[in-house]
Amino acid sequence: MSHLARRRRHANPNPLFPVGTVFVAANGNNSNNGLSQLLPKLTLSNADAAAAVGASVLGRGGDTFRETVTCAVNSRTFGSYGSGMMRSSGADIATGWAPAGLGTNTYSIAFASPVRLLLVNGVLAVLGASSSTLANGQFFYGSSTLYYRSDAGNPDTLGLVTEAGQRDYCINQNSKDSISVVGIIAEASQHTSNSAIYFQGIGHVTGWTVSQCIVRNCYSSALLCHAASNGCTVTFNQFLNCGQHGFWFDTADAQENVSILHNTLDGCGWRTTGVNFPSGIIGGMHSGEVAFNSVNAQGAGGSGAHAHAIYAGQDLPGGSTLLIHDNSCIGTLDGTGIKTTNDAFIYNNVLGTNHGGGINPGQNSGTGNCTVIAYRNVLYTNATSSGAGIDVKNAGSTGTLTFKGYHNTLFSNSVGGSGGEVLIESNLAVCDFRNNIVYATSTASSKYFTFSVAQTGTVTIDKNVYFHGDASTPFKYNGTQMSLTTWRAQAFTPDVHSVVGDPLFVSAGTNNYRLSSGSPAINLGDVIAGINDGVSQPDAGAFEFGA
């Protein structure tokens, strides 16, 4: 055999992919070795079992795989090849609809396993109350039968693609380390409390990644890590229309060195029963970054003001170095924009129209001490029912709480509540609130700043700009409403250098809270180490004039 022939014999048959990659396609065969795109395997599970440790398993873009993959080994990457993204589905095709005999345009199919969700042409149908009371487009499952009402006629005749939820998971990491899921669609998992892509472990899992995926239309969460972990990466994903959380870390386990970056979460938390704190990004994040994420319309199901856009900490021990920054949390329907229950730095976030408030730091239980520093955040028209723009509270903890707020811009929060712009509900060890703009609603009950309890710690409040609010008593301390003059006479002498006046935003009506020329916020602020370094005369508010 010639030297050239030997090279051809041992050449990588897929030069764009690493040697050992196993390919899977809807027209494949599990008797194939899967090492060539021309000879793919049929199922992801068979490919995972056959592939070497460290090899990738790739599904063909555009194909749908209706199975649960339970990882067989450590060091595995699941992804797509070809054009588009492969789809891992927890649902099976529902066909063979027949009139249900209920006197309405309701059709039925026998399904032995429970069906908790139904997709119709890729869109989630609404669960009805019973088979006999369905409205058009609703479904119901009972007595091993799936019902669907279609006033336009039989779904099969209409050519509708109906898919009934049947599996709990799309990919189950199965306590393995170094598992990566990259560039796939995962959809229609129907576990009551877990997720489409599920990570678990006995004690600890390390080095896992979920990136560039679309996870949507799940009964519970898109992604769950049910174990302590170190070094997870969750980046550039879309978590859409899932019934509970978008992304959930088990609250009992500390997550270290997280990188949760550039994800979009939209419309999750729609379930009305059997859910707990159905937040966008939630759990025991202790160190790392939660940044550049967009969380919209979280918590449509409603669960008592506990569906937060980002909920970090869950009463873990102190010493956290978590950075929560440059996120957009808009329109949370039943909770706050950002809630933290451990140490955190919260900065450069935009928080708007969140039902329960903008930022809510403070522990729920335990004995650990907690420090939260929030700076250069924009908070507008939050607390549409309860809470405040910033609401600081140790609900059940016996540890100390320190809150420092610098260079935040608050605009017209507490529209439907009574908390005002800034509400301090606990006796803080340290309260430092400087260089902020507080533009309150113009209602008679609106407050710039409220201490609902007396303070015995160190309080520093100064160099702020206030505007609108209650014309006569815009401050409140320990149950007593008071004027600015009385406020300044308190023992901690707040706001001696603060200003009451229009901050002259460029266009508050379009949420542009940058400063116009002549704003009283210009050059008002203090220099604060680590916050506004390099600015000799800082402005109040989130934005420096002209920047």
Side-chain angles (χ1 to χ4, degrees), residues 180-215:
S180 296
V181 184
V182 180
I184 75 165
I185 296 170
E187 185 170 35
S189 70
Q190 65 163 18
H191 196 283
T192 56
S193 59
N194 289 339
S195 61
I197 301 175
Y198 180 55
F199 289 85
Q200 60 179 319
I202 301 173
H204 213 85
V205 293
T206 60
W208 58 271
T209 296
V210 177
S211 182
Q212 303 173 67
C213 295
I214 299 172
V215 188

PDB file of all heavy atoms in Angstrom, residues 180-215:
ATOM      1  N   SER A 180     -21.700  19.241  28.018  1.00  0.00           N
ATOM      2  CA  SER A 180     -22.023  20.474  27.312  1.00  0.00           C
ATOM      3  C   SER A 180     -23.187  20.227  26.361  1.00  0.00           C
ATOM      4  O   SER A 180     -23.227  19.205  25.656  1.00  0.00           O
ATOM      5  CB  SER A 180     -20.812  20.969  26.510  1.00  0.00           C
ATOM      6  OG  SER A 180     -19.741  21.317  27.369  1.00  0.00           O
ATOM      7  N   VAL A 181     -24.121  21.172  26.341  1.00  0.00           N
ATOM      8  CA  VAL A 181     -25.233  21.143  25.399  1.00  0.00           C
ATOM      9  C   VAL A 181     -25.165  22.457  24.635  1.00  0.00           C
ATOM     10  O   VAL A 181     -25.322  23.534  25.217  1.00  0.00           O
ATOM     11  CB  VAL A 181     -26.584  20.985  26.113  1.00  0.00           C
ATOM     12  CG1 VAL A 181     -27.709  20.869  25.095  1.00  0.00           C
ATOM     13  CG2 VAL A 181     -26.573  19.780  27.050  1.00  0.00           C
ATOM     14  N   VAL A 182     -24.920  22.375  23.334  1.00  0.00           N
ATOM     15  CA  VAL A 182     -24.610  23.575  22.549  1.00  0.00           C
ATOM     16  C   VAL A 182     -25.413  23.572  21.253  1.00  0.00           C
ATOM     17  O   VAL A 182     -25.332  22.619  20.457  1.00  0.00           O
ATOM     18  CB  VAL A 182     -23.098  23.641  22.225  1.00  0.00           C
ATOM     19  CG1 VAL A 182     -22.784  24.896  21.417  1.00  0.00           C
ATOM     20  CG2 VAL A 182     -22.259  23.621  23.498  1.00  0.00           C
ATOM     21  N   GLY A 183     -26.186  24.628  21.035  1.00  0.00           N
ATOM     22  CA  GLY A 183     -26.820  24.843  19.748  1.00  0.00           C
ATOM     23  C   GLY A 183     -27.896  23.852  19.380  1.00  0.00           C
ATOM     24  O   GLY A 183     -27.940  23.365  18.244  1.00  0.00           O
ATOM     25  N   ILE A 184     -28.807  23.531  20.325  1.00  0.00           N
ATOM     26  CA  ILE A 184     -29.932  22.654  20.017  1.00  0.00           C
ATOM     27  C   ILE A 184     -31.231  23.338  20.444  1.00  0.00           C
ATOM     28  O   ILE A 184     -31.235  24.320  21.187  1.00  0.00           O
ATOM     29  CB  ILE A 184     -29.815  21.283  20.708  1.00  0.00           C
ATOM     30  CG1 ILE A 184     -30.140  21.402  22.213  1.00  0.00           C
ATOM     31  CG2 ILE A 184     -28.436  20.674  20.505  1.00  0.00           C
ATOM     32  CD1 ILE A 184     -30.391  20.074  22.895  1.00  0.00           C
ATOM     33  N   ILE A 185     -32.333  22.789  19.984  1.00  0.00           N
ATOM     34  CA  ILE A 185     -33.660  23.151  20.478  1.00  0.00           C
ATOM     35  C   ILE A 185     -34.132  22.020  21.384  1.00  0.00           C
ATOM     36  O   ILE A 185     -34.103  20.856  20.989  1.00  0.00           O
ATOM     37  CB  ILE A 185     -34.657  23.345  19.328  1.00  0.00           C
ATOM     38  CG1 ILE A 185     -34.231  24.517  18.441  1.00  0.00           C
ATOM     39  CG2 ILE A 185     -36.069  23.579  19.867  1.00  0.00           C
ATOM     40  CD1 ILE A 185     -35.023  24.633  17.161  1.00  0.00           C
ATOM     41  N   ALA A 186     -34.534  22.350  22.610  1.00  0.00           N
ATOM     42  CA  ALA A 186     -35.124  21.384  23.534  1.00  0.00           C
ATOM     43  C   ALA A 186     -36.523  21.877  23.873  1.00  0.00           C
ATOM     44  O   ALA A 186     -36.707  23.050  24.205  1.00  0.00           O
ATOM     45  CB  ALA A 186     -34.272  21.229  24.784  1.00  0.00           C
ATOM     46  N   GLU A 187     -37.491  20.991  23.790  1.00  0.00           N
ATOM     47  CA  GLU A 187     -38.873  21.465  23.847  1.00  0.00           C
ATOM     48  C   GLU A 187     -39.800  20.408  24.444  1.00  0.00           C
ATOM     49  O   GLU A 187     -39.568  19.198  24.332  1.00  0.00           O
ATOM     50  CB  GLU A 187     -39.342  21.797  22.425  1.00  0.00           C
ATOM     51  CG  GLU A 187     -40.717  22.423  22.334  1.00  0.00           C
ATOM     52  CD  GLU A 187     -41.011  22.946  20.941  1.00  0.00           C
ATOM     53  OE1 GLU A 187     -40.561  22.322  19.961  1.00  0.00           O
ATOM     54  OE2 GLU A 187     -41.677  23.989  20.830  1.00  0.00           O
ATOM     55  N   ALA A 188     -40.851  20.905  25.097  1.00  0.00           N
ATOM     56  CA  ALA A 188     -42.012  20.088  25.470  1.00  0.00           C
ATOM     57  C   ALA A 188     -41.708  18.999  26.486  1.00  0.00           C
ATOM     58  O   ALA A 188     -42.361  17.960  26.499  1.00  0.00           O
ATOM     59  CB  ALA A 188     -42.674  19.483  24.221  1.00  0.00           C
ATOM     60  N   SER A 189     -40.723  19.216  27.374  1.00  0.00           N
ATOM     61  CA  SER A 189     -40.578  18.291  28.497  1.00  0.00           C
ATOM     62  C   SER A 189     -41.708  18.559  29.478  1.00  0.00           C
ATOM     63  O   SER A 189     -42.160  19.698  29.617  1.00  0.00           O
ATOM     64  CB  SER A 189     -39.223  18.473  29.170  1.00  0.00           C
ATOM     65  OG  SER A 189     -39.154  19.710  29.853  1.00  0.00           O
ATOM     66  N   GLN A 190     -42.157  17.532  30.174  1.00  0.00           N
ATOM     67  CA  GLN A 190     -43.345  17.748  31.005  1.00  0.00           C
ATOM     68  C   GLN A 190     -43.197  17.230  32.431  1.00  0.00           C
ATOM     69  O   GLN A 190     -44.184  16.891  33.073  1.00  0.00           O
ATOM     70  CB  GLN A 190     -44.580  17.154  30.332  1.00  0.00           C
ATOM     71  CG  GLN A 190     -44.607  15.662  30.154  1.00  0.00           C
ATOM     72  CD  GLN A 190     -46.033  15.175  29.862  1.00  0.00           C
ATOM     73  OE1 GLN A 190     -46.927  15.920  29.471  1.00  0.00           O
ATOM     74  NE2 GLN A 190     -46.270  13.896  30.102  1.00  0.00           N
ATOM     75  N   HIS A 191     -41.961  17.198  32.952  1.00  0.00           N
ATOM     76  CA  HIS A 191     -41.795  16.885  34.367  1.00  0.00           C
ATOM     77  C   HIS A 191     -42.501  17.962  35.195  1.00  0.00           C
ATOM     78  O   HIS A 191     -42.499  19.149  34.852  1.00  0.00           O
ATOM     79  CB  HIS A 191     -40.307  16.838  34.722  1.00  0.00           C
ATOM     80  CG  HIS A 191     -40.021  16.166  36.024  1.00  0.00           C
ATOM     81  ND1 HIS A 191     -40.228  16.798  37.246  1.00  0.00           N
ATOM     82  CD2 HIS A 191     -39.537  14.925  36.310  1.00  0.00           C
ATOM     83  CE1 HIS A 191     -39.888  15.966  38.215  1.00  0.00           C
ATOM     84  NE2 HIS A 191     -39.464  14.832  37.690  1.00  0.00           N
ATOM     85  N   THR A 192     -43.090  17.535  36.312  1.00  0.00           N
ATOM     86  CA  THR A 192     -43.867  18.495  37.105  1.00  0.00           C
ATOM     87  C   THR A 192     -43.000  19.513  37.831  1.00  0.00           C
ATOM     88  O   THR A 192     -43.460  20.597  38.173  1.00  0.00           O
ATOM     89  CB  THR A 192     -44.739  17.755  38.137  1.00  0.00           C
ATOM     90  OG1 THR A 192     -43.894  16.932  38.950  1.00  0.00           O
ATOM     91  CG2 THR A 192     -45.788  16.905  37.443  1.00  0.00           C
ATOM     92  N   SER A 193     -41.706  19.188  38.084  1.00  0.00           N
ATOM     93  CA  SER A 193     -40.893  20.130  38.846  1.00  0.00           C
ATOM     94  C   SER A 193     -39.460  20.274  38.330  1.00  0.00           C
ATOM     95  O   SER A 193     -38.743  21.156  38.784  1.00  0.00           O
ATOM     96  CB  SER A 193     -40.839  19.720  40.327  1.00  0.00           C
ATOM     97  OG  SER A 193     -40.293  18.417  40.467  1.00  0.00           O
ATOM     98  N   ASN A 194     -39.010  19.434  37.404  1.00  0.00           N
ATOM     99  CA  ASN A 194     -37.637  19.526  36.923  1.00  0.00           C
ATOM    100  C   ASN A 194     -37.580  20.258  35.581  1.00  0.00           C
ATOM    101  O   ASN A 194     -38.284  21.229  35.394  1.00  0.00           O
ATOM    102  CB  ASN A 194     -36.993  18.141  36.882  1.00  0.00           C
ATOM    103  CG  ASN A 194     -36.724  17.596  38.272  1.00  0.00           C
ATOM    104  OD1 ASN A 194     -36.650  18.360  39.239  1.00  0.00           O
ATOM    105  ND2 ASN A 194     -36.588  16.298  38.404  1.00  0.00           N
ATOM    106  N   SER A 195     -36.782  19.817  34.627  1.00  0.00           N
ATOM    107  CA  SER A 195     -36.530  20.670  33.470  1.00  0.00           C
ATOM    108  C   SER A 195     -36.238  19.866  32.218  1.00  0.00           C
ATOM    109  O   SER A 195     -35.960  18.659  32.274  1.00  0.00           O
ATOM    110  CB  SER A 195     -35.340  21.586  33.761  1.00  0.00           C
ATOM    111  OG  SER A 195     -34.176  20.806  34.014  1.00  0.00           O
ATOM    112  N   ALA A 196     -36.233  20.563  31.083  1.00  0.00           N
ATOM    113  CA  ALA A 196     -35.922  19.917  29.805  1.00  0.00           C
ATOM    114  C   ALA A 196     -34.478  19.447  29.777  1.00  0.00           C
ATOM    115  O   ALA A 196     -34.180  18.319  29.390  1.00  0.00           O
ATOM    116  CB  ALA A 196     -36.197  20.885  28.663  1.00  0.00           C
ATOM    117  N   ILE A 197     -33.550  20.325  30.153  1.00  0.00           N
ATOM    118  CA  ILE A 197     -32.138  19.972  30.270  1.00  0.00           C
ATOM    119  C   ILE A 197     -31.830  19.935  31.763  1.00  0.00           C
ATOM    120  O   ILE A 197     -31.931  20.950  32.451  1.00  0.00           O
ATOM    121  CB  ILE A 197     -31.246  20.980  29.541  1.00  0.00           C
ATOM    122  CG1 ILE A 197     -31.624  21.039  28.054  1.00  0.00           C
ATOM    123  CG2 ILE A 197     -29.777  20.604  29.691  1.00  0.00           C
ATOM    124  CD1 ILE A 197     -30.871  22.100  27.273  1.00  0.00           C
ATOM    125  N   TYR A 198     -31.460  18.757  32.252  1.00  0.00           N
ATOM    126  CA  TYR A 198     -31.448  18.515  33.693  1.00  0.00           C
ATOM    127  C   TYR A 198     -30.064  18.072  34.151  1.00  0.00           C
ATOM    128  O   TYR A 198     -29.514  17.084  33.649  1.00  0.00           O
ATOM    129  CB  TYR A 198     -32.482  17.441  34.023  1.00  0.00           C
ATOM    130  CG  TYR A 198     -32.591  17.065  35.478  1.00  0.00           C
ATOM    131  CD1 TYR A 198     -32.820  18.024  36.451  1.00  0.00           C
ATOM    132  CD2 TYR A 198     -32.502  15.737  35.888  1.00  0.00           C
ATOM    133  CE1 TYR A 198     -32.940  17.680  37.793  1.00  0.00           C
ATOM    134  CE2 TYR A 198     -32.626  15.370  37.217  1.00  0.00           C
ATOM    135  CZ  TYR A 198     -32.837  16.357  38.171  1.00  0.00           C
ATOM    136  OH  TYR A 198     -32.955  15.999  39.484  1.00  0.00           O
ATOM    137  N   PHE A 199     -29.503  18.819  35.104  1.00  0.00           N
ATOM    138  CA  PHE A 199     -28.220  18.474  35.701  1.00  0.00           C
ATOM    139  C   PHE A 199     -28.451  18.079  37.153  1.00  0.00           C
ATOM    140  O   PHE A 199     -29.148  18.778  37.889  1.00  0.00           O
ATOM    141  CB  PHE A 199     -27.253  19.659  35.635  1.00  0.00           C
ATOM    142  CG  PHE A 199     -26.764  19.960  34.247  1.00  0.00           C
ATOM    143  CD1 PHE A 199     -27.508  20.756  33.395  1.00  0.00           C
ATOM    144  CD2 PHE A 199     -25.567  19.443  33.789  1.00  0.00           C
ATOM    145  CE1 PHE A 199     -27.076  21.028  32.106  1.00  0.00           C
ATOM    146  CE2 PHE A 199     -25.117  19.704  32.509  1.00  0.00           C
ATOM    147  CZ  PHE A 199     -25.871  20.501  31.660  1.00  0.00           C
ATOM    148  N   GLN A 200     -27.826  16.982  37.552  1.00  0.00           N
ATOM    149  CA  GLN A 200     -27.951  16.512  38.925  1.00  0.00           C
ATOM    150  C   GLN A 200     -26.614  15.921  39.343  1.00  0.00           C
ATOM    151  O   GLN A 200     -25.719  15.708  38.517  1.00  0.00           O
ATOM    152  CB  GLN A 200     -29.041  15.457  39.038  1.00  0.00           C
ATOM    153  CG  GLN A 200     -28.775  14.227  38.172  1.00  0.00           C
ATOM    154  CD  GLN A 200     -29.850  13.179  38.299  1.00  0.00           C
ATOM    155  OE1 GLN A 200     -30.327  12.916  39.399  1.00  0.00           O
ATOM    156  NE2 GLN A 200     -30.239  12.569  37.188  1.00  0.00           N
ATOM    157  N   GLY A 201     -26.461  15.674  40.631  1.00  0.00           N
ATOM    158  CA  GLY A 201     -25.204  15.098  41.089  1.00  0.00           C
ATOM    159  C   GLY A 201     -25.291  14.684  42.532  1.00  0.00           C
ATOM    160  O   GLY A 201     -26.117  15.186  43.297  1.00  0.00           O
ATOM    161  N   ILE A 202     -24.415  13.760  42.905  1.00  0.00           N
ATOM    162  CA  ILE A 202     -24.298  13.362  44.307  1.00  0.00           C
ATOM    163  C   ILE A 202     -23.179  14.199  44.900  1.00  0.00           C
ATOM    164  O   ILE A 202     -21.997  13.895  44.758  1.00  0.00           O
ATOM    165  CB  ILE A 202     -24.004  11.861  44.427  1.00  0.00           C
ATOM    166  CG1 ILE A 202     -25.123  11.052  43.753  1.00  0.00           C
ATOM    167  CG2 ILE A 202     -23.864  11.460  45.884  1.00  0.00           C
ATOM    168  CD1 ILE A 202     -24.832   9.564  43.680  1.00  0.00           C
ATOM    169  N   GLY A 203     -23.563  15.311  45.487  1.00  0.00           N
ATOM    170  CA  GLY A 203     -22.590  16.205  46.095  1.00  0.00           C
ATOM    171  C   GLY A 203     -22.195  17.356  45.202  1.00  0.00           C
ATOM    172  O   GLY A 203     -22.393  18.506  45.534  1.00  0.00           O
ATOM    173  N   HIS A 204     -21.660  17.057  43.987  1.00  0.00           N
ATOM    174  CA  HIS A 204     -21.081  18.133  43.202  1.00  0.00           C
ATOM    175  C   HIS A 204     -20.998  17.738  41.730  1.00  0.00           C
ATOM    176  O   HIS A 204     -20.736  16.586  41.397  1.00  0.00           O
ATOM    177  CB  HIS A 204     -19.668  18.430  43.720  1.00  0.00           C
ATOM    178  CG  HIS A 204     -19.267  19.864  43.610  1.00  0.00           C
ATOM    179  ND1 HIS A 204     -19.585  20.802  44.553  1.00  0.00           N
ATOM    180  CD2 HIS A 204     -18.590  20.530  42.649  1.00  0.00           C
ATOM    181  CE1 HIS A 204     -19.087  21.982  44.206  1.00  0.00           C
ATOM    182  NE2 HIS A 204     -18.490  21.839  43.039  1.00  0.00           N
ATOM    183  N   VAL A 205     -21.235  18.694  40.842  1.00  0.00           N
ATOM    184  CA  VAL A 205     -20.949  18.507  39.422  1.00  0.00           C
ATOM    185  C   VAL A 205     -20.093  19.685  38.965  1.00  0.00           C
ATOM    186  O   VAL A 205     -20.213  20.801  39.486  1.00  0.00           O
ATOM    187  CB  VAL A 205     -22.228  18.409  38.565  1.00  0.00           C
ATOM    188  CG1 VAL A 205     -22.998  17.152  38.891  1.00  0.00           C
ATOM    189  CG2 VAL A 205     -23.109  19.643  38.740  1.00  0.00           C
ATOM    190  N   THR A 206     -19.220  19.458  38.003  1.00  0.00           N
ATOM    191  CA  THR A 206     -18.283  20.496  37.592  1.00  0.00           C
ATOM    192  C   THR A 206     -18.278  20.658  36.075  1.00  0.00           C
ATOM    193  O   THR A 206     -18.564  19.726  35.322  1.00  0.00           O
ATOM    194  CB  THR A 206     -16.844  20.166  38.042  1.00  0.00           C
ATOM    195  OG1 THR A 206     -16.438  18.929  37.451  1.00  0.00           O
ATOM    196  CG2 THR A 206     -16.755  20.050  39.552  1.00  0.00           C
ATOM    197  N   GLY A 207     -17.927  21.868  35.668  1.00  0.00           N
ATOM    198  CA  GLY A 207     -17.582  22.142  34.291  1.00  0.00           C
ATOM    199  C   GLY A 207     -18.662  21.916  33.259  1.00  0.00           C
ATOM    200  O   GLY A 207     -18.381  21.489  32.144  1.00  0.00           O
ATOM    201  N   TRP A 208     -19.920  22.201  33.579  1.00  0.00           N
ATOM    202  CA  TRP A 208     -20.961  21.962  32.596  1.00  0.00           C
ATOM    203  C   TRP A 208     -21.344  23.255  31.872  1.00  0.00           C
ATOM    204  O   TRP A 208     -21.186  24.362  32.384  1.00  0.00           O
ATOM    205  CB  TRP A 208     -22.178  21.292  33.220  1.00  0.00           C
ATOM    206  CG  TRP A 208     -22.851  22.011  34.347  1.00  0.00           C
ATOM    207  CD1 TRP A 208     -22.566  21.909  35.674  1.00  0.00           C
ATOM    208  CD2 TRP A 208     -23.938  22.935  34.245  1.00  0.00           C
ATOM    209  NE1 TRP A 208     -23.405  22.707  36.412  1.00  0.00           N
ATOM    210  CE2 TRP A 208     -24.258  23.353  35.554  1.00  0.00           C
ATOM    211  CE3 TRP A 208     -24.674  23.447  33.188  1.00  0.00           C
ATOM    212  CZ2 TRP A 208     -25.278  24.258  35.827  1.00  0.00           C
ATOM    213  CZ3 TRP A 208     -25.694  24.359  33.449  1.00  0.00           C
ATOM    214  CH2 TRP A 208     -25.989  24.744  34.772  1.00  0.00           C
ATOM    215  N   THR A 209     -21.865  23.092  30.658  1.00  0.00           N
ATOM    216  CA  THR A 209     -22.164  24.224  29.787  1.00  0.00           C
ATOM    217  C   THR A 209     -23.481  24.005  29.059  1.00  0.00           C
ATOM    218  O   THR A 209     -23.747  22.913  28.557  1.00  0.00           O
ATOM    219  CB  THR A 209     -21.048  24.411  28.741  1.00  0.00           C
ATOM    220  OG1 THR A 209     -19.827  24.745  29.391  1.00  0.00           O
ATOM    221  CG2 THR A 209     -21.405  25.512  27.749  1.00  0.00           C
ATOM    222  N   VAL A 210     -24.287  25.060  29.005  1.00  0.00           N
ATOM    223  CA  VAL A 210     -25.440  25.111  28.100  1.00  0.00           C
ATOM    224  C   VAL A 210     -25.328  26.433  27.350  1.00  0.00           C
ATOM    225  O   VAL A 210     -25.350  27.505  27.964  1.00  0.00           O
ATOM    226  CB  VAL A 210     -26.781  25.016  28.851  1.00  0.00           C
ATOM    227  CG1 VAL A 210     -27.945  25.157  27.879  1.00  0.00           C
ATOM    228  CG2 VAL A 210     -26.880  23.701  29.607  1.00  0.00           C
ATOM    229  N   SER A 211     -25.195  26.365  26.034  1.00  0.00           N
ATOM    230  CA  SER A 211     -24.918  27.577  25.272  1.00  0.00           C
ATOM    231  C   SER A 211     -25.622  27.539  23.916  1.00  0.00           C
ATOM    232  O   SER A 211     -25.705  26.475  23.285  1.00  0.00           O
ATOM    233  CB  SER A 211     -23.406  27.730  25.074  1.00  0.00           C
ATOM    234  OG  SER A 211     -23.090  28.920  24.381  1.00  0.00           O
ATOM    235  N   GLN A 212     -26.127  28.694  23.499  1.00  0.00           N
ATOM    236  CA  GLN A 212     -26.703  28.889  22.168  1.00  0.00           C
ATOM    237  C   GLN A 212     -27.866  27.943  21.896  1.00  0.00           C
ATOM    238  O   GLN A 212     -28.077  27.513  20.762  1.00  0.00           O
ATOM    239  CB  GLN A 212     -25.618  28.718  21.097  1.00  0.00           C
ATOM    240  CG  GLN A 212     -24.438  29.669  21.281  1.00  0.00           C
ATOM    241  CD  GLN A 212     -23.320  29.370  20.325  1.00  0.00           C
ATOM    242  OE1 GLN A 212     -23.454  29.539  19.114  1.00  0.00           O
ATOM    243  NE2 GLN A 212     -22.191  28.909  20.867  1.00  0.00           N
ATOM    244  N   CYS A 213     -28.612  27.610  22.947  1.00  0.00           N
ATOM    245  CA  CYS A 213     -29.763  26.722  22.811  1.00  0.00           C
ATOM    246  C   CYS A 213     -31.067  27.515  22.865  1.00  0.00           C
ATOM    247  O   CYS A 213     -31.119  28.624  23.405  1.00  0.00           O
ATOM    248  CB  CYS A 213     -29.767  25.666  23.921  1.00  0.00           C
ATOM    249  SG  CYS A 213     -28.384  24.515  23.840  1.00  0.00           S
ATOM    250  N   ILE A 214     -32.111  26.927  22.329  1.00  0.00           N
ATOM    251  CA  ILE A 214     -33.478  27.418  22.505  1.00  0.00           C
ATOM    252  C   ILE A 214     -34.235  26.351  23.283  1.00  0.00           C
ATOM    253  O   ILE A 214     -34.365  25.217  22.806  1.00  0.00           O
ATOM    254  CB  ILE A 214     -34.165  27.686  21.157  1.00  0.00           C
ATOM    255  CG1 ILE A 214     -33.414  28.759  20.362  1.00  0.00           C
ATOM    256  CG2 ILE A 214     -35.614  28.105  21.375  1.00  0.00           C
ATOM    257  CD1 ILE A 214     -33.921  28.935  18.942  1.00  0.00           C
ATOM    258  N   VAL A 215     -34.700  26.692  24.469  1.00  0.00           N
ATOM    259  CA  VAL A 215     -35.469  25.755  25.285  1.00  0.00           C
ATOM    260  C   VAL A 215     -36.826  26.404  25.530  1.00  0.00           C
ATOM    261  O   VAL A 215     -36.912  27.499  26.089  1.00  0.00           O
ATOM    262  CB  VAL A 215     -34.767  25.447  26.619  1.00  0.00           C
ATOM    263  CG1 VAL A 215     -35.495  24.321  27.343  1.00  0.00           C
ATOM    264  CG2 VAL A 215     -33.310  25.053  26.389  1.00  0.00           C
TER     265      VAL A 215
END
